[in-house]
Amino acid sequence: MNEVNDVRSYNIGASNYSQNHKYQPWDFWILFRLNPWDGDITKRVLRKKSTDPRILDYKKMKHIALERIRQFQNNENVFPIENTEPKDVTFEEMIDDYNLTDDDKIILNIILYPNTSNRVKDYEKIIELCEKRIKELEKEEN
């Protein structure tokens, strides 16, 4: 196997993007030119890991959103905020085989299509949605 050319045909760890999905998180990062924090949130929205409970992803997304708010409030955002629309594929096509909840779709939409006039509001909405999902998942556990 030529590992460089075959890198997208497998995953390392418990996530299974390459086996079950046409688009991997990498594709979202590239097509939407995501910064590292938004890329991390995107990865967590899309993944389902057999080794970690789903609630952990929402807690991590909330934590990342809080850090982004801190960056904006302290004028530490070094990444330009862009609305980039991939030319050859639609949002719906990219998420079609992920079986996302409505809240997950909203989070992903906020990340991929940022409110360039008030990004803090975007992250506050992500926090709100994560807190909602955390409560729902905690109820399911009990």
Side-chain angles (χ1 to χ4, degrees):
M1 165 175 84
N2 182 334
E3 205 165 12
V4 172
N5 292 328
D6 199 36
V7 70
R8 288 180 171 246
S9 69
Y10 64 94
N11 289 103
I12 305 298
S15 298
N16 60 355
Y17 307 113
S18 65
Q19 286 79 30
N20 298 325
H21 305 292
K22 183 175 179 180
Y23 297 97
Q24 295 190 43
W26 296 341
D27 296 307
F28 288 84
W29 302 345
I30 292 165
L31 289 169
F32 289 91
R33 297 184 208 142
L34 298 181
N35 66 59
W37 289 273
D38 291 350
D40 197 356
I41 291 173
T42 299
K43 172 186 75 174
R44 292 176 190 291
V45 167
L46 297 175
R47 80 174 179 184
K48 305 288 189 293
K49 276 182 101 171
S50 59
T51 57
D52 295 331
R54 186 72 177 134
I55 196 168
L56 187 60
D57 283 319
Y58 290 107
K59 288 178 179 180
K60 288 180 179 182
M61 285 187 275
K62 178 182 172 185
H63 190 228
I64 295 163
L66 286 166
E67 168 57 17
R68 288 298 281 154
I69 289 171
R70 187 201 65 76
Q71 290 173 12
F72 281 104
Q73 289 174 338
N74 292 312
N75 294 315
E76 294 176 7
N77 179 45
V78 297
F79 298 96
I81 303 165
E82 305 178 66
N83 280 319
T84 28
E85 180 73 40
K87 292 176 177 50
D88 299 329
V89 65
T90 67
F91 175 74
E92 291 78 19
E93 287 175 275
M94 292 185 78
I95 65 167
D96 184 49
D97 62 352
Y98 273 95
N99 194 24
L100 299 176
T101 67
D102 289 341
D103 291 333
D104 289 342
K105 289 176 187 177
I106 293 169
I107 291 170
L108 197 56
N109 197 55
I110 290 169
I111 291 297
L112 301 179
Y113 302 101
N115 174 355
T116 57
S117 63
N118 193 342
R119 196 65 172 136
V120 169
K121 278 191 171 182
D122 283 348
Y123 290 107
E124 288 171 343
K125 181 64 177 175
I126 290 170
I127 291 168
E128 176 187 316
L129 291 165
C130 287
E131 288 174 343
K132 177 183 172 211
R133 290 294 296 139
I134 289 167
K135 285 179 185 173
E136 290 170 355
L137 292 168
E138 286 173 341
K139 277 185 184 178
E140 288 177 18
E141 287 177 357
N142 297 328

PDB file of all heavy atoms in Angstrom, residues 4-31:
ATOM      1  N   VAL A   4       0.825   7.341   1.416  1.00  0.00           N
ATOM      2  CA  VAL A   4       0.507   8.728   1.098  1.00  0.00           C
ATOM      3  C   VAL A   4      -0.723   8.801   0.203  1.00  0.00           C
ATOM      4  O   VAL A   4      -1.646   9.571   0.455  1.00  0.00           O
ATOM      5  CB  VAL A   4       1.712   9.443   0.434  1.00  0.00           C
ATOM      6  CG1 VAL A   4       1.314  10.814  -0.072  1.00  0.00           C
ATOM      7  CG2 VAL A   4       2.873   9.545   1.418  1.00  0.00           C
ATOM      8  N   ASN A   5      -0.779   8.010  -0.832  1.00  0.00           N
ATOM      9  CA  ASN A   5      -1.907   8.045  -1.762  1.00  0.00           C
ATOM     10  C   ASN A   5      -3.160   7.400  -1.184  1.00  0.00           C
ATOM     11  O   ASN A   5      -4.264   7.687  -1.624  1.00  0.00           O
ATOM     12  CB  ASN A   5      -1.536   7.369  -3.082  1.00  0.00           C
ATOM     13  CG  ASN A   5      -0.493   8.161  -3.834  1.00  0.00           C
ATOM     14  OD1 ASN A   5      -0.452   9.385  -3.749  1.00  0.00           O
ATOM     15  ND2 ASN A   5       0.367   7.476  -4.549  1.00  0.00           N
ATOM     16  N   ASP A   6      -3.003   6.540  -0.202  1.00  0.00           N
ATOM     17  CA  ASP A   6      -4.120   5.791   0.344  1.00  0.00           C
ATOM     18  C   ASP A   6      -4.595   6.345   1.691  1.00  0.00           C
ATOM     19  O   ASP A   6      -5.425   5.741   2.340  1.00  0.00           O
ATOM     20  CB  ASP A   6      -3.681   4.324   0.510  1.00  0.00           C
ATOM     21  CG  ASP A   6      -4.853   3.389   0.618  1.00  0.00           C
ATOM     22  OD1 ASP A   6      -5.874   3.628  -0.047  1.00  0.00           O
ATOM     23  OD2 ASP A   6      -4.748   2.431   1.407  1.00  0.00           O
ATOM     24  N   VAL A   7      -4.113   7.506   2.098  1.00  0.00           N
ATOM     25  CA  VAL A   7      -4.349   8.045   3.438  1.00  0.00           C
ATOM     26  C   VAL A   7      -5.831   8.252   3.764  1.00  0.00           C
ATOM     27  O   VAL A   7      -6.232   8.139   4.901  1.00  0.00           O
ATOM     28  CB  VAL A   7      -3.545   9.350   3.650  1.00  0.00           C
ATOM     29  CG1 VAL A   7      -4.108  10.483   2.811  1.00  0.00           C
ATOM     30  CG2 VAL A   7      -3.481   9.719   5.106  1.00  0.00           C
ATOM     31  N   ARG A   8      -6.656   8.474   2.783  1.00  0.00           N
ATOM     32  CA  ARG A   8      -8.080   8.714   3.040  1.00  0.00           C
ATOM     33  C   ARG A   8      -8.916   7.440   3.093  1.00  0.00           C
ATOM     34  O   ARG A   8     -10.106   7.495   3.324  1.00  0.00           O
ATOM     35  CB  ARG A   8      -8.649   9.659   1.998  1.00  0.00           C
ATOM     36  CG  ARG A   8      -8.156  11.074   2.215  1.00  0.00           C
ATOM     37  CD  ARG A   8      -8.719  12.017   1.200  1.00  0.00           C
ATOM     38  NE  ARG A   8      -8.386  13.381   1.571  1.00  0.00           N
ATOM     39  CZ  ARG A   8      -9.289  14.281   1.923  1.00  0.00           C
ATOM     40  NH1 ARG A   8     -10.552  13.986   1.933  1.00  0.00           N
ATOM     41  NH2 ARG A   8      -8.907  15.494   2.254  1.00  0.00           N
ATOM     42  N   SER A   9      -8.306   6.307   2.911  1.00  0.00           N
ATOM     43  CA  SER A   9      -9.072   5.055   2.906  1.00  0.00           C
ATOM     44  C   SER A   9      -9.152   4.388   4.279  1.00  0.00           C
ATOM     45  O   SER A   9      -9.779   3.361   4.419  1.00  0.00           O
ATOM     46  CB  SER A   9      -8.466   4.082   1.899  1.00  0.00           C
ATOM     47  OG  SER A   9      -7.198   3.653   2.365  1.00  0.00           O
ATOM     48  N   TYR A  10      -8.533   4.988   5.275  1.00  0.00           N
ATOM     49  CA  TYR A  10      -8.552   4.395   6.612  1.00  0.00           C
ATOM     50  C   TYR A  10      -8.465   5.496   7.662  1.00  0.00           C
ATOM     51  O   TYR A  10      -8.185   6.649   7.350  1.00  0.00           O
ATOM     52  CB  TYR A  10      -7.391   3.414   6.785  1.00  0.00           C
ATOM     53  CG  TYR A  10      -6.018   4.060   6.711  1.00  0.00           C
ATOM     54  CD1 TYR A  10      -5.359   4.480   7.867  1.00  0.00           C
ATOM     55  CD2 TYR A  10      -5.388   4.276   5.488  1.00  0.00           C
ATOM     56  CE1 TYR A  10      -4.116   5.089   7.794  1.00  0.00           C
ATOM     57  CE2 TYR A  10      -4.151   4.883   5.421  1.00  0.00           C
ATOM     58  CZ  TYR A  10      -3.512   5.286   6.577  1.00  0.00           C
ATOM     59  OH  TYR A  10      -2.293   5.887   6.511  1.00  0.00           O
ATOM     60  N   ASN A  11      -8.750   5.129   8.911  1.00  0.00           N
ATOM     61  CA  ASN A  11      -8.625   6.042  10.039  1.00  0.00           C
ATOM     62  C   ASN A  11      -7.748   5.420  11.100  1.00  0.00           C
ATOM     63  O   ASN A  11      -7.632   4.205  11.184  1.00  0.00           O
ATOM     64  CB  ASN A  11      -9.992   6.338  10.667  1.00  0.00           C
ATOM     65  CG  ASN A  11     -10.854   7.201   9.787  1.00  0.00           C
ATOM     66  OD1 ASN A  11     -11.765   6.706   9.133  1.00  0.00           O
ATOM     67  ND2 ASN A  11     -10.585   8.478   9.754  1.00  0.00           N
ATOM     68  N   ILE A  12      -7.185   6.261  11.924  1.00  0.00           N
ATOM     69  CA  ILE A  12      -6.458   5.814  13.098  1.00  0.00           C
ATOM     70  C   ILE A  12      -7.376   6.074  14.287  1.00  0.00           C
ATOM     71  O   ILE A  12      -7.868   7.185  14.464  1.00  0.00           O
ATOM     72  CB  ILE A  12      -5.137   6.601  13.282  1.00  0.00           C
ATOM     73  CG1 ILE A  12      -4.267   6.527  12.031  1.00  0.00           C
ATOM     74  CG2 ILE A  12      -4.392   6.142  14.520  1.00  0.00           C
ATOM     75  CD1 ILE A  12      -3.821   5.131  11.648  1.00  0.00           C
ATOM     76  N   GLY A  13      -7.624   5.083  15.111  1.00  0.00           N
ATOM     77  CA  GLY A  13      -8.493   5.252  16.273  1.00  0.00           C
ATOM     78  C   GLY A  13      -9.901   4.774  16.003  1.00  0.00           C
ATOM     79  O   GLY A  13     -10.188   4.115  15.003  1.00  0.00           O
ATOM     80  N   ALA A  14     -10.801   5.154  16.905  1.00  0.00           N
ATOM     81  CA  ALA A  14     -12.159   4.615  16.905  1.00  0.00           C
ATOM     82  C   ALA A  14     -13.112   5.304  15.941  1.00  0.00           C
ATOM     83  O   ALA A  14     -14.191   4.796  15.679  1.00  0.00           O
ATOM     84  CB  ALA A  14     -12.727   4.672  18.326  1.00  0.00           C
ATOM     85  N   SER A  15     -12.769   6.481  15.414  1.00  0.00           N
ATOM     86  CA  SER A  15     -13.656   7.156  14.464  1.00  0.00           C
ATOM     87  C   SER A  15     -13.612   6.413  13.134  1.00  0.00           C
ATOM     88  O   SER A  15     -12.612   5.809  12.776  1.00  0.00           O
ATOM     89  CB  SER A  15     -13.216   8.606  14.250  1.00  0.00           C
ATOM     90  OG  SER A  15     -13.303   9.316  15.457  1.00  0.00           O
ATOM     91  N   ASN A  16     -14.718   6.471  12.396  1.00  0.00           N
ATOM     92  CA  ASN A  16     -14.784   5.694  11.158  1.00  0.00           C
ATOM     93  C   ASN A  16     -15.248   6.544   9.978  1.00  0.00           C
ATOM     94  O   ASN A  16     -16.056   6.113   9.187  1.00  0.00           O
ATOM     95  CB  ASN A  16     -15.707   4.492  11.346  1.00  0.00           C
ATOM     96  CG  ASN A  16     -17.120   4.917  11.702  1.00  0.00           C
ATOM     97  OD1 ASN A  16     -17.403   6.086  11.907  1.00  0.00           O
ATOM     98  ND2 ASN A  16     -18.022   3.957  11.766  1.00  0.00           N
ATOM     99  N   TYR A  17     -14.713   7.743   9.860  1.00  0.00           N
ATOM    100  CA  TYR A  17     -15.125   8.624   8.776  1.00  0.00           C
ATOM    101  C   TYR A  17     -14.920   8.001   7.402  1.00  0.00           C
ATOM    102  O   TYR A  17     -15.778   8.088   6.544  1.00  0.00           O
ATOM    103  CB  TYR A  17     -14.335   9.940   8.811  1.00  0.00           C
ATOM    104  CG  TYR A  17     -14.355  10.677  10.114  1.00  0.00           C
ATOM    105  CD1 TYR A  17     -13.198  10.799  10.864  1.00  0.00           C
ATOM    106  CD2 TYR A  17     -15.513  11.261  10.591  1.00  0.00           C
ATOM    107  CE1 TYR A  17     -13.194  11.508  12.062  1.00  0.00           C
ATOM    108  CE2 TYR A  17     -15.521  11.949  11.786  1.00  0.00           C
ATOM    109  CZ  TYR A  17     -14.358  12.072  12.514  1.00  0.00           C
ATOM    110  OH  TYR A  17     -14.360  12.763  13.682  1.00  0.00           O
ATOM    111  N   SER A  18     -13.786   7.377   7.195  1.00  0.00           N
ATOM    112  CA  SER A  18     -13.438   6.913   5.847  1.00  0.00           C
ATOM    113  C   SER A  18     -14.303   5.748   5.395  1.00  0.00           C
ATOM    114  O   SER A  18     -14.550   5.583   4.208  1.00  0.00           O
ATOM    115  CB  SER A  18     -11.961   6.527   5.768  1.00  0.00           C
ATOM    116  OG  SER A  18     -11.697   5.407   6.587  1.00  0.00           O
ATOM    117  N   GLN A  19     -14.784   4.935   6.311  1.00  0.00           N
ATOM    118  CA  GLN A  19     -15.586   3.780   5.917  1.00  0.00           C
ATOM    119  C   GLN A  19     -17.050   4.135   5.659  1.00  0.00           C
ATOM    120  O   GLN A  19     -17.699   3.517   4.836  1.00  0.00           O
ATOM    121  CB  GLN A  19     -15.537   2.684   7.003  1.00  0.00           C
ATOM    122  CG  GLN A  19     -14.230   1.947   7.055  1.00  0.00           C
ATOM    123  CD  GLN A  19     -13.139   2.727   7.775  1.00  0.00           C
ATOM    124  OE1 GLN A  19     -13.412   3.500   8.675  1.00  0.00           O
ATOM    125  NE2 GLN A  19     -11.899   2.530   7.367  1.00  0.00           N
ATOM    126  N   ASN A  20     -17.573   5.113   6.356  1.00  0.00           N
ATOM    127  CA  ASN A  20     -19.008   5.360   6.315  1.00  0.00           C
ATOM    128  C   ASN A  20     -19.437   6.658   5.648  1.00  0.00           C
ATOM    129  O   ASN A  20     -20.623   6.898   5.500  1.00  0.00           O
ATOM    130  CB  ASN A  20     -19.570   5.347   7.740  1.00  0.00           C
ATOM    131  CG  ASN A  20     -19.391   4.008   8.408  1.00  0.00           C
ATOM    132  OD1 ASN A  20     -19.464   2.976   7.768  1.00  0.00           O
ATOM    133  ND2 ASN A  20     -19.146   4.029   9.695  1.00  0.00           N
ATOM    134  N   HIS A  21     -18.503   7.503   5.274  1.00  0.00           N
ATOM    135  CA  HIS A  21     -18.891   8.831   4.815  1.00  0.00           C
ATOM    136  C   HIS A  21     -18.138   9.248   3.558  1.00  0.00           C
ATOM    137  O   HIS A  21     -16.949   9.001   3.424  1.00  0.00           O
ATOM    138  CB  HIS A  21     -18.635   9.857   5.920  1.00  0.00           C
ATOM    139  CG  HIS A  21     -19.316   9.498   7.193  1.00  0.00           C
ATOM    140  ND1 HIS A  21     -20.680   9.516   7.346  1.00  0.00           N
ATOM    141  CD2 HIS A  21     -18.811   9.068   8.377  1.00  0.00           C
ATOM    142  CE1 HIS A  21     -20.989   9.129   8.571  1.00  0.00           C
ATOM    143  NE2 HIS A  21     -19.876   8.841   9.217  1.00  0.00           N
ATOM    144  N   LYS A  22     -18.871   9.893   2.677  1.00  0.00           N
ATOM    145  CA  LYS A  22     -18.274  10.390   1.441  1.00  0.00           C
ATOM    146  C   LYS A  22     -17.305  11.538   1.741  1.00  0.00           C
ATOM    147  O   LYS A  22     -16.265  11.655   1.106  1.00  0.00           O
ATOM    148  CB  LYS A  22     -19.380  10.863   0.497  1.00  0.00           C
ATOM    149  CG  LYS A  22     -18.891  11.332  -0.838  1.00  0.00           C
ATOM    150  CD  LYS A  22     -20.050  11.671  -1.762  1.00  0.00           C
ATOM    151  CE  LYS A  22     -19.521  12.174  -3.095  1.00  0.00           C
ATOM    152  NZ  LYS A  22     -20.608  12.518  -4.007  1.00  0.00           N
ATOM    153  N   TYR A  23     -17.659  12.395   2.715  1.00  0.00           N
ATOM    154  CA  TYR A  23     -16.827  13.534   3.075  1.00  0.00           C
ATOM    155  C   TYR A  23     -16.328  13.371   4.502  1.00  0.00           C
ATOM    156  O   TYR A  23     -17.103  13.136   5.412  1.00  0.00           O
ATOM    157  CB  TYR A  23     -17.612  14.849   2.956  1.00  0.00           C
ATOM    158  CG  TYR A  23     -18.056  15.121   1.548  1.00  0.00           C
ATOM    159  CD1 TYR A  23     -19.334  14.791   1.126  1.00  0.00           C
ATOM    160  CD2 TYR A  23     -17.178  15.688   0.631  1.00  0.00           C
ATOM    161  CE1 TYR A  23     -19.732  15.019  -0.180  1.00  0.00           C
ATOM    162  CE2 TYR A  23     -17.571  15.915  -0.676  1.00  0.00           C
ATOM    163  CZ  TYR A  23     -18.850  15.579  -1.076  1.00  0.00           C
ATOM    164  OH  TYR A  23     -19.245  15.797  -2.363  1.00  0.00           O
ATOM    165  N   GLN A  24     -15.037  13.500   4.679  1.00  0.00           N
ATOM    166  CA  GLN A  24     -14.429  13.450   5.995  1.00  0.00           C
ATOM    167  C   GLN A  24     -14.316  14.874   6.552  1.00  0.00           C
ATOM    168  O   GLN A  24     -14.395  15.851   5.800  1.00  0.00           O
ATOM    169  CB  GLN A  24     -13.042  12.821   5.905  1.00  0.00           C
ATOM    170  CG  GLN A  24     -13.066  11.369   5.489  1.00  0.00           C
ATOM    171  CD  GLN A  24     -11.711  10.725   5.633  1.00  0.00           C
ATOM    172  OE1 GLN A  24     -11.017  10.938   6.618  1.00  0.00           O
ATOM    173  NE2 GLN A  24     -11.329   9.924   4.650  1.00  0.00           N
ATOM    174  N   PRO A  25     -14.098  15.025   7.856  1.00  0.00           N
ATOM    175  CA  PRO A  25     -13.909  16.365   8.408  1.00  0.00           C
ATOM    176  C   PRO A  25     -12.847  17.168   7.659  1.00  0.00           C
ATOM    177  O   PRO A  25     -12.996  18.375   7.467  1.00  0.00           O
ATOM    178  CB  PRO A  25     -13.491  16.097   9.857  1.00  0.00           C
ATOM    179  CG  PRO A  25     -14.189  14.820  10.185  1.00  0.00           C
ATOM    180  CD  PRO A  25     -14.125  14.012   8.911  1.00  0.00           C
ATOM    181  N   TRP A  26     -11.794  16.508   7.200  1.00  0.00           N
ATOM    182  CA  TRP A  26     -10.753  17.196   6.431  1.00  0.00           C
ATOM    183  C   TRP A  26     -11.348  17.950   5.246  1.00  0.00           C
ATOM    184  O   TRP A  26     -10.918  19.047   4.928  1.00  0.00           O
ATOM    185  CB  TRP A  26      -9.744  16.202   5.874  1.00  0.00           C
ATOM    186  CG  TRP A  26      -8.945  15.448   6.874  1.00  0.00           C
ATOM    187  CD1 TRP A  26      -8.739  15.769   8.188  1.00  0.00           C
ATOM    188  CD2 TRP A  26      -8.228  14.244   6.638  1.00  0.00           C
ATOM    189  NE1 TRP A  26      -7.943  14.835   8.774  1.00  0.00           N
ATOM    190  CE2 TRP A  26      -7.607  13.873   7.845  1.00  0.00           C
ATOM    191  CE3 TRP A  26      -8.053  13.437   5.530  1.00  0.00           C
ATOM    192  CZ2 TRP A  26      -6.818  12.746   7.962  1.00  0.00           C
ATOM    193  CZ3 TRP A  26      -7.270  12.316   5.648  1.00  0.00           C
ATOM    194  CH2 TRP A  26      -6.654  11.968   6.852  1.00  0.00           C
ATOM    195  N   ASP A  27     -12.325  17.318   4.586  1.00  0.00           N
ATOM    196  CA  ASP A  27     -12.937  17.957   3.423  1.00  0.00           C
ATOM    197  C   ASP A  27     -13.632  19.251   3.814  1.00  0.00           C
ATOM    198  O   ASP A  27     -13.559  20.250   3.092  1.00  0.00           O
ATOM    199  CB  ASP A  27     -13.923  17.002   2.746  1.00  0.00           C
ATOM    200  CG  ASP A  27     -13.240  15.774   2.190  1.00  0.00           C
ATOM    201  OD1 ASP A  27     -12.270  15.931   1.428  1.00  0.00           O
ATOM    202  OD2 ASP A  27     -13.665  14.647   2.543  1.00  0.00           O
ATOM    203  N   PHE A  28     -14.334  19.248   4.949  1.00  0.00           N
ATOM    204  CA  PHE A  28     -14.983  20.461   5.441  1.00  0.00           C
ATOM    205  C   PHE A  28     -13.935  21.533   5.739  1.00  0.00           C
ATOM    206  O   PHE A  28     -14.105  22.688   5.383  1.00  0.00           O
ATOM    207  CB  PHE A  28     -15.786  20.159   6.716  1.00  0.00           C
ATOM    208  CG  PHE A  28     -17.028  19.360   6.476  1.00  0.00           C
ATOM    209  CD1 PHE A  28     -16.985  17.975   6.391  1.00  0.00           C
ATOM    210  CD2 PHE A  28     -18.266  19.989   6.354  1.00  0.00           C
ATOM    211  CE1 PHE A  28     -18.134  17.232   6.183  1.00  0.00           C
ATOM    212  CE2 PHE A  28     -19.425  19.251   6.147  1.00  0.00           C
ATOM    213  CZ  PHE A  28     -19.360  17.869   6.051  1.00  0.00           C
ATOM    214  N   TRP A  29     -12.836  21.129   6.393  1.00  0.00           N
ATOM    215  CA  TRP A  29     -11.785  22.084   6.761  1.00  0.00           C
ATOM    216  C   TRP A  29     -11.223  22.766   5.527  1.00  0.00           C
ATOM    217  O   TRP A  29     -11.013  23.975   5.520  1.00  0.00           O
ATOM    218  CB  TRP A  29     -10.647  21.393   7.501  1.00  0.00           C
ATOM    219  CG  TRP A  29     -11.028  20.678   8.755  1.00  0.00           C
ATOM    220  CD1 TRP A  29     -12.192  20.795   9.473  1.00  0.00           C
ATOM    221  CD2 TRP A  29     -10.245  19.713   9.449  1.00  0.00           C
ATOM    222  NE1 TRP A  29     -12.170  19.954  10.563  1.00  0.00           N
ATOM    223  CE2 TRP A  29     -10.983  19.288  10.573  1.00  0.00           C
ATOM    224  CE3 TRP A  29      -8.995  19.163   9.228  1.00  0.00           C
ATOM    225  CZ2 TRP A  29     -10.489  18.341  11.473  1.00  0.00           C
ATOM    226  CZ3 TRP A  29      -8.513  18.225  10.125  1.00  0.00           C
ATOM    227  CH2 TRP A  29      -9.251  17.823  11.232  1.00  0.00           C
ATOM    228  N   ILE A  30     -10.960  21.968   4.495  1.00  0.00           N
ATOM    229  CA  ILE A  30     -10.358  22.495   3.272  1.00  0.00           C
ATOM    230  C   ILE A  30     -11.352  23.364   2.500  1.00  0.00           C
ATOM    231  O   ILE A  30     -11.050  24.498   2.133  1.00  0.00           O
ATOM    232  CB  ILE A  30      -9.831  21.344   2.381  1.00  0.00           C
ATOM    233  CG1 ILE A  30      -8.641  20.655   3.062  1.00  0.00           C
ATOM    234  CG2 ILE A  30      -9.451  21.851   0.998  1.00  0.00           C
ATOM    235  CD1 ILE A  30      -8.278  19.307   2.454  1.00  0.00           C
ATOM    236  N   LEU A  31     -12.536  22.832   2.245  1.00  0.00           N
ATOM    237  CA  LEU A  31     -13.512  23.541   1.420  1.00  0.00           C
ATOM    238  C   LEU A  31     -13.994  24.847   2.043  1.00  0.00           C
ATOM    239  O   LEU A  31     -14.270  25.819   1.344  1.00  0.00           O
ATOM    240  CB  LEU A  31     -14.712  22.640   1.118  1.00  0.00           C
ATOM    241  CG  LEU A  31     -14.434  21.499   0.151  1.00  0.00           C
ATOM    242  CD1 LEU A  31     -15.591  20.511   0.135  1.00  0.00           C
ATOM    243  CD2 LEU A  31     -14.172  22.031  -1.244  1.00  0.00           C
TER     244      LEU A  31
END
